[in-house]
Structures are given as structure tokens and as C-alpha cells.
Amino acid sequence: MAESPKKEDIVTGILEEETLDNIQHVNNPVLDVPIVEKKYLNRILSYSKKGNVFIFTDGKASVEVKVFSDEIIRVRLAPHSSFLDDFSYAIREDINLHPTSFSILDLDDAFLVKTNVVVCRVQKENFLVSFENMEGEVMNADYKPMHWEENPDFGGYYVYCTKHTPEDEVFFGLGDKSANLNLRGRRYQNWNADTYGFGFNQDPLYKTIPFYIGVTGGDAYGIFFDNTFKTYFDFAAEKNDRTSYWSEGGELQYYYIHGPQIIDVVKRYHELTGTHDMPPLWAIGYHQCRWSYYPEANVREVASQFRKRQIPCDAIYLDIDYMDGYRCFTWNKRYFPNPRKMISDLAADGFRTVVMIDPGIKVDEDYWVFNEGKENKYFCRRGDDYFMEGYVWPGRCQFPDYTNPKVRQWWGTLYRDLVEDGVAGVWNDMNEPAVFGRGTFPDDVRHHFEGLRGSHRKAHNIYGMQMVRSTYDGLKKLQKNKRPFTITRAAYAGTQRYSSVWTGDNIATWEHLKIGVLQLQRLSVSGLSFCGTDIGGFTGEPDGELYTRWMQFGVFSPFMRVHSAGDTRDREPWSFGPEWEVICKKFIELRYKLLPYIYTVFWRQHKYREPILRPISLLEQHKPENLQREEEFGFGHNILVSPVIHPGQQSKVLYLPEGDWYYYFDHTLFVGGQEHKVETRLDEMPIFVRAGSVIPEFPVMQYTMEKNIDALKLNIYWGSGRYESHVYTDHGETFAYEQSVYNEKYFIVEGEQNSLTIVQHIEGLYHERFDSYKVYFIGLPFDAHHVEVDGDIHKILMEEGKPYIEVEKEFRRLTIS
Ligand code: GLC
């Protein structure tokens, strides 16, 4: 159950009319500030229409309703009828949505803006806005008219929207919040913050994703409140029957996104804000990081230990100590006398090098980056024109204004030397932006904001996003159109178009392992599927068991990286002794075996907008109890896991969605749609494969693309009925997939009591190096004697008790009986 909010959680942003008399400036706790009055929309006097845009007015204020698609409708409020520029950093630049049809009905009491799927009702008497489905069921309705209050200090308005909240409604989404998956009963704030060692329910954290999903009566819808200022969400916390969201500035502008399935809301949110591009294959291997590996001998030693111990690893990270006095884009030549040679030796051994770059540029007249930024006026300035200065790792710093396209372009070119040195990926940190002592920039700092201008109040939450955007675009050019790998700590909605993310400075505790399980599921339904935690915990010391259990969860984290703070003990997979090393190795190897499956899941995310991690609530929302489940989740369509998150845990009770499921390690069959108690041996974790699946598998490699695959292994898990699976392949490095240079194989698997048939259909133009498949059959309920492939009889072979056959990869139809 949701807890009631603590007093300290609700000190900012007084919301309810009952407390209207006490309204003060939300940032200013001093009592003698002027009392500001909330103003509400009034009776509608007229409306106008232009294409798919409808504008209603009460004579003073106006509301715009814009039909984006059959399922997406945007609402905007202009308190004095002048709408702000229609610009958003969150929305894809290439957005191309159209409704199939729409119309407006002028009734006695309301206007209805209708598509084939949704009705947006605007009440004439009181301007209440609601959304209904075609059956007339209300999905989401205003509790009171949209309202606002003037901001006496900055100009503009605080804007508010309050919705009805039925008793059964639950809420998901909102990015990286370290809270239970269901957000009901709590209030949240979005203001990107450097939150070292954050706790359960601490808020705000590093990212701002003002998008939530509501589920009521078994049906889901989404609200995306696209506002970059400090925003608040109150999910029936202050009052049990209403949910509000509001902002300290900007426009009240939100998208209603129709479901009724949660997965459809998530996919439609991706239609607005984009998906991750395909990552380079190496980026989904295992990565090793710490603060910091230096000098060079240390880096080489870690790398050679991986190879010596035959533990797969694709990337090594260099944290801030590789730099000269923490000056970005420089090398500390004492620690790294010849970085190019080191990076190329590492590359020859299959390691990519990823380096940290922060936004703070050291104020130093002998430093080219500072001089270039200064000469070109690329650094942020205060309201009165002084440079924004603050202390970060290098000491006194100035900060590029990434909201200026010219600055982004410049920043992108700064990576040239690093790329020439062979650096493969970039890790952008401290970009909330973080400033020692004062936390972040003062509000009056000015930003270009694509020429629209704004103070830091408006630009704060998109600062990190625009930084990693410029990194991404820069790398894409410098690396000759190879897929860039970037990772960022701060983010705003839509950051997935430019980067992966991690959850920042967590703690080596069991509680944090659980928080990670929640955060990654939440990020995944909030558009940021390519996400991970610092495996093992950033600060503090895990024991072998915690580290190993976290590593197991790491296999099913879209981004898999071990990282820890500078003052922690060793954190390599062998650091806790041989007993734990064996298990960690087994699980890192599992990640590599599953690579073609994981790669396919990334493709499904990119192309079909499917989230990578899928909470049970998303998989089966029709069962109310599933809306509260949070430990087990789908990893793509065919694998379901439930990480072990308690010390000494011998067993756990978990829920399996409807259908049959195979326990991954011994192929025991479990019936879904119910809970099961399963053993949780240390060297295993609850991993289940959906019956009817095709799971492709690579041989264990020490790094991605170490080996050529001669025959791709396909594991077919028999299931009664008809199932579809996909397998995606490409060459793993460039954007040629945008020109259809990939293969997506569709397998229809039909299981019967005495036979199994697979029909394959292939899309795409990519020529794989392998010519054949080795098809393994798991769980056949019959003794197989006969295999026919496209009319030819094939021989059944046996390996470790499993029947398998070798077939040409282009086969169309295969039947085993
Ligand atoms: C921040 C990052 C952490 C990094 C450290 C030093 O705390 O979150 O990952 O190691 O800075 O750069």
C-alpha cells in the first residue's frame, strides 16, 4: 500500500484550494511575500479551428486542443491567450503523426473533439477537460479547471492541472524515482539533482521524465506533461480522490495518450519522444569500471586478468583521473604516457575504452578548451552578464551552454583527439548540472534555448540531455557514422534518442539492489530502456553474496557495468574469492550466450518501441493484484526473471504470467498465471523462458565478435499452441540498418502433442557470415523420430540429451515429430 506523504515531502508547492489563503512563493519560505491568487478557467465563450487544432476561450484565457494521432491529444493553456512558442526538446524532430480522422461536435453543454479512438470533452460551463473511449467510459477527467498563478519574481505563471482519481487507480512511470513501482499516495518533484548515496523514496534524483501511466478499471492511459521547469506530481497524496501536476513556470502543456494497454501507452509515448538507436554490439556486453583505473599499468592489469581468467568483458572505463588536473579532453601524461598505444593494445585484446567527460571546464588561461569557449562566448552567464562559475572536480569552472546549437556543435568536435586516440565511447556525468557546495546553477543563469532564451529555471532539467546530445552527434560524425556509445547521468524525456543512462551513485546494500530492480523497470516504461545500475553498489562495500546476486541482476539489466567509488576495495568479478568468481563468470558468460536474444530485444525497442524491461503490471494488467507486483519482470518477450534481492535467500515466491514457462537451468516446466515457490541456489537465479519461444544463442566469447559463428544456435522451447519469436542480426556497428541492412527472422512455432512445426520468414538485406542453424529442441512431449525441412528428411542428432538438427538458415518450414 502507498504510504501517506511525510510533512517534509509536501513543503513546496501548496496545491489545494482549501489552503489557497496561505499560498506563498513556492521557493521562498519567508512569510511576508505577497499572497498570489490562483486563477481558474471560466465558462467557454467561443472556439476556433485550424486543421487539427482547436482553440477554446473564456474571453481571457485560451486552451488549445491538438489532435496528434488517433490516440494522442495535446492540451495547452495560455492564461492570457498568447501561447508560447511551440517548441520541445522532448519531442522527436522528425515526428510524423496524423490522425486518420477527427471532428468536432458542438453540444449544448460541451464540445467534443473526436478521433476514431478517443473523445476529448471540453465542458462549456466550467472548462473541465476529460478523455473518453468510444464506449463513453471516462479514462481521465479534470477535477477542477486548469489554473495558474502569477509568478511575481520571474514573470510567467505557475501552472496546475488536477484530475479525478478513482479509488482503484494506480500510477507508473516518472523515470528514475527510487520508490515502489506504483506511485499512488506520493508526491514527486522533478529537478535534476546530484544525489550521491540516495535513499529509498528520496526525491528528486538525477532525471526528469514527466510522464506517467494511470491504470483504472483495468485500462491504461498516459499523461506526458512536457514542461522543463521544476515540476511536481501528486498522485492522490494530498487528497485521495485527485491527482495533480504543476510547474513553477512555462506552459501547462500535456499529452493525453490513450491505451488501453499499458504497453500501447508506452509505445505511443515513444512515438512522441523517440527510441534508442541500435547500440553497437559491444555496448551490450559486460563492462568494467571504477573510479578510477590508473595508471596505465593498472588498466592493463585489469584487462589481462579478464583474459587470463577467461571472464568475458567488452569495455573498460576511465574515470576522471585519466585527465590532466580534471581538464576534459586532456590526458594525464604521468599516468598515461601513451594513451593511443594503450587503447590500441586493449582493442587488440577485444577491449573498448570508454572515457568520462564532465561539463565543468576549468578556468585556466593555458587550457585550449577554456580559451575556445571563452573567445566564442560559449559559457553560461548569470542574469547580470557575469560568467556562471562554480567548483567541480577541476576547481573553479565555467560551463558550456548546450542549449545553444553552436555550442553543441563545438562540443561535439572537442572529442576529435580522443576519437583519434581510439576512444570508443563517452560517459557524461555531473550534468544535472552538479556544482559543489551550492548543488547546481542559480536560477538567474541565462540560456540560449535554441534562440528562445530562458533562465536556468527553464533549462536546468534539459541541460544534461543537451550535453549528451552534443556528445552523441559529435561522436557520430567523428567515428565516421559508427553507432556512438554514450551514457549520461542526467536526463529529460526523450534523452533515449542520444544516450543510455545509469542510476547514479547508489549504495552497496541489499536495499539498493532492490531499488535498482525498481528503477530499471520504471526507466524502461519511461522511455529510457537502455539503463543500468552500478553493479555491486557505488559507495560502500558489498560482500561476495551481494556482489554476485547483483551481477546476476546485471545480466538482465539492459546496460551491464560494474562501477564503484574511489575509496572502495577491488570490484572485479574475481575480487571476492574463487567461490564467487565462478558464479560471476557463469553469469557473465550467460550474458554473452544471450547476446543475440538481447540484441533482438534492443531492435524491438528501437523499431517497434517495445520497452526492454516489462513489469508484470505491463504484461498482465487485467489482474488487479498484478498492478502491485514489482520483483519479477520480462526481459524482452520471451524471458522472465526475478532477481534474488535478500541475503541468504534459499527460495522465493514469484508470479509467472499466463502460459507455460521453463526454468532456464534445468528446463522444468511451470504453469503460469499463478505464483510458485522456487529454490534460489546461489549459482542460479530465477530465470524462465516462455514455452513456444525461439531463443538464439552465441557460444561464450571473451568479447563480442571475438568469434565467427559458423552455425547459429536456436533453442526451441516446445509449447502447446502457436507462438511468434524474432531474431535480429546485423553487423553490429553502423547505421546501415536504417537502409534495411539487417535480418529480422520471424519464427512461428506451433506445438502439438506429437509434433512441432517452425515456419520462418526473413526480412532485410543483411548477409550473415553463418549459413546454417543448429536447432535444439527443449521440452518435446514426444520421442522425436522424424524431421522434415522444406520437404527433405533430416537426421536427428543428440547433444547432452537434447535432440538437435542442422539446417540451412533459409529454411521455410520445419516439422519434427
Ligand atoms: C560521480 C559519478 C560517478 C563517478 C564520480 C567520479 O559521482 O556518479 O559514477 O565515478 O563522479 O567521476
Side-chain angles (χ1 to χ4, degrees), residues 549-771:
R549 288 303 198 188
W550 211 319
M551 190 70 88
Q552 295 175 344
F553 166 51
V555 176
F556 300 95
S557 299
F559 174 61
M560 186 185 186
R561 181 186 75 164
V562 165
H563 179 45
S564 63
D567 56 357
T568 57
R569 290 198 290 272
D570 290 350
R571 284 290 177 85
E572 292 74 40
W574 53 87
S575 305
F576 297 86
E579 159 198 7
W580 304 108
E581 179 181 343
V582 178
I583 308 175
C584 288
K585 178 171 153 85
K586 168 175 164 178
F587 273 84
I588 296 173
E589 288 180 347
L590 174 60
R591 174 89 177 187
Y592 282 74
K593 285 193 203 169
L594 290 175
L595 272 178
Y597 173 77
I598 298 174
Y599 201 47
T600 302
V601 174
F602 271 81
W603 170 251
R604 301 288 309 176
Q605 184 280 144
H606 168 71
K607 177 96 188 275
Y608 303 98
R609 311 181 190 100
E610 296 171 358
I612 292 181
L613 302 189
R614 302 167 190 193
I616 293 288
S617 51
L618 177 142
L619 296 174
E620 280 181 1
Q621 72 192 55
H622 61 280
K623 291 187 180 170
E625 64 274 21
N626 282 353
L627 302 176
Q628 307 297 340
R629 297 189 193 274
E630 41 186 33
E631 276 183 32
E632 45 281 76
F633 57 85
F635 183 79
H637 185 62
N638 290 335
I639 291 183
L640 186 118
V641 299
S642 185
V644 178
I645 54 171
H646 298 291
Q649 196 170 359
Q650 312 276 322
S651 65
K652 86 180 281 187
V653 175
L654 50 83
Y655 175 81
L656 292 173
E658 275 152 32
D660 291 337
W661 295 85
Y662 289 88
Y663 184 64
Y664 178 79
F665 294 99
D666 68 6
H667 303 152
T668 307
L669 199 59
F670 288 80
V671 179
Q674 55 184 278
E675 289 184 343
H676 291 276
K677 185 171 177 186
V678 298
E679 270 183 49
T680 51
R681 298 167 39 162
L682 280 170
D683 64 343
E684 292 183 2
M685 81 177 263
I687 306 170
F688 296 87
V689 180
R690 189 189 290 277
S693 301
V694 177
I695 306 282
E697 184 180 312
F698 276 173
V700 171
M701 303 191 210
Q702 296 312 300
Y703 53 93
T704 53
M705 306 213 263
E706 182 198 20
K707 295 179 188 160
N708 279 334
I709 314 286
D710 305 324
L712 180 67
K713 190 166 168 181
L714 299 179
N715 294 306
I716 317 295
Y717 292 80
W718 182 89
S720 167
R722 190 173 186 277
Y723 303 88
E724 181 173 312
S725 288
H726 313 104
V727 174
Y728 174 87
T729 60
D730 69 17
H731 58 57
E733 267 189 332
T734 73
F735 286 90
Y737 66 85
E738 290 176 347
Q739 269 72 50
S740 299
V741 184
Y742 64 82
N743 277 335
E744 186 168 10
K745 301 158 196 295
Y746 293 73
F747 295 101
I748 305 293
V749 177
E750 280 201 79
E752 290 181 34
Q753 275 318 305
N754 50 13
S755 74
L756 180 142
T757 303
I758 308 170
V759 174
Q760 181 183 220
H761 159 76
I762 305 173
E763 269 178 19
L765 306 171
Y766 175 58
H767 294 288
E768 291 132 339
R769 297 230 182 120
F770 59 85
D771 295 321

Side-chain angles (χ1 to χ4, degrees), residues 196 206 291 319-320 356 358 393 427 429-430 489 502 504-505 534 538 561 563-564:
Y196 169 86
Y206 303 91
W291 176 15
D319 204 328
I320 45 175
M356 158 83 74
D358 289 340
W393 307 120
W427 173 21
D429 186 27
M430 305 294 276
R489 195 171 70 175
W502 92 106
D505 298 343
D534 283 351
F538 178 72
R561 181 186 75 164
H563 179 45
S564 63

Side-chain angles (χ1 to χ4, degrees), residues 211 241 251 269 288 324 326 392 445 542 564 719 730 736-737 805 817:
F211 161 64
D241 59 351
E251 201 168 65
Y269 171 73
Q288 184 68 40
D324 173 18
Y326 306 125
V392 210
V445 167
S564 63
D730 69 17
Y737 66 85
I805 60 163
S817 54

Side-chain angles (χ1 to χ4, degrees), residues 41-256:
L41 285 167
N42 231 306
R43 184 180 166 70
I44 298 181
L45 296 182
S46 64
Y47 91 97
S48 64
K49 167 184 184 307
K50 199 171 171 200
N52 53 351
V53 177
F54 303 87
I55 295 182
F56 304 91
T57 174
D58 65 4
K60 283 196 185 133
S62 294
V63 169
E64 181 200 274
V65 173
K66 180 170 176 180
V67 182
F68 270 70
S69 71
D70 291 355
E71 298 89 3
I72 304 177
I73 293 182
R74 187 180 71 179
V75 175
R76 298 210 280 163
L77 164 72
H80 289 291
S81 291
S82 337
F83 290 97
L84 299 182
D85 290 284
D86 195 357
F87 166 76
S88 162
Y89 278 116
I91 303 296
R92 288 161 50 193
E93 282 174 4
D94 57 348
I95 189 162
N96 190 16
L97 292 176
H98 304 283
T100 41
S101 74
F102 60 89
S103 57
I104 186 159
L105 265 181
D106 186 351
L107 306 181
D108 284 348
D109 61 338
F111 291 102
L112 304 188
V113 176
K114 294 175 81 167
T115 72
N116 289 336
V117 181
V118 193
V119 179
C120 171
R121 174 187 292 270
V122 190
Q123 288 297 123
K124 289 185 176 171
E125 184 57 35
N126 48 19
F127 232 128
L128 292 173
V129 177
S130 60
F131 298 88
E132 297 166 10
N133 63 18
M134 281 324 197
E135 285 72 53
E137 290 163 344
V138 177
M139 297 303 306
N140 176 268
D142 279 353
Y143 183 91
K144 43 174 117 172
M146 289 182 266
H147 44 292
W148 64 94
E149 72 195 62
E150 269 164 45
N151 177 340
D153 294 338
F154 283 92
Y157 308 93
Y158 303 147
V159 290
Y160 302 80
C161 195
T162 301
K163 302 283 189 181
H164 275 285
T165 304
E167 248 172 60
D168 74 325
E169 184 158 12
V170 294
F171 299 96
F172 302 109
L174 233 57
D176 65 346
K177 306 299 182 197
S178 58
N180 291 106
L181 289 188
N182 175 8
L183 301 163
R184 183 168 181 141
R186 295 200 63 85
R187 178 177 288 192
Y188 296 92
Q189 203 185 106
N190 290 309
W191 185 249
N192 294 354
D194 175 10
T195 40
Y196 169 86
F198 59 90
F200 185 64
N201 275 340
Q202 184 174 326
D203 185 53
L205 298 177
Y206 303 91
K207 300 173 185 67
T208 292
I209 316 292
F211 161 64
Y212 73 84
I213 301 159
V215 186
T216 167
D219 290 338
Y221 67 90
I223 296 284
F224 173 38
F225 180 26
D226 188 8
N227 181 305
T228 63
F229 286 76
K230 188 182 282 179
T231 49
Y232 300 84
F233 287 79
D234 181 298
F235 296 103
E238 187 168 319
K239 299 274 181 199
N240 197 33
D241 59 351
R242 61 204 90 156
T243 288
S244 296
Y245 44 94
W246 66 102
S247 171
E248 293 193 357
E251 201 168 65
L252 179 52
Q253 169 179 141
Y254 72 90
Y255 295 80
Y256 167 82

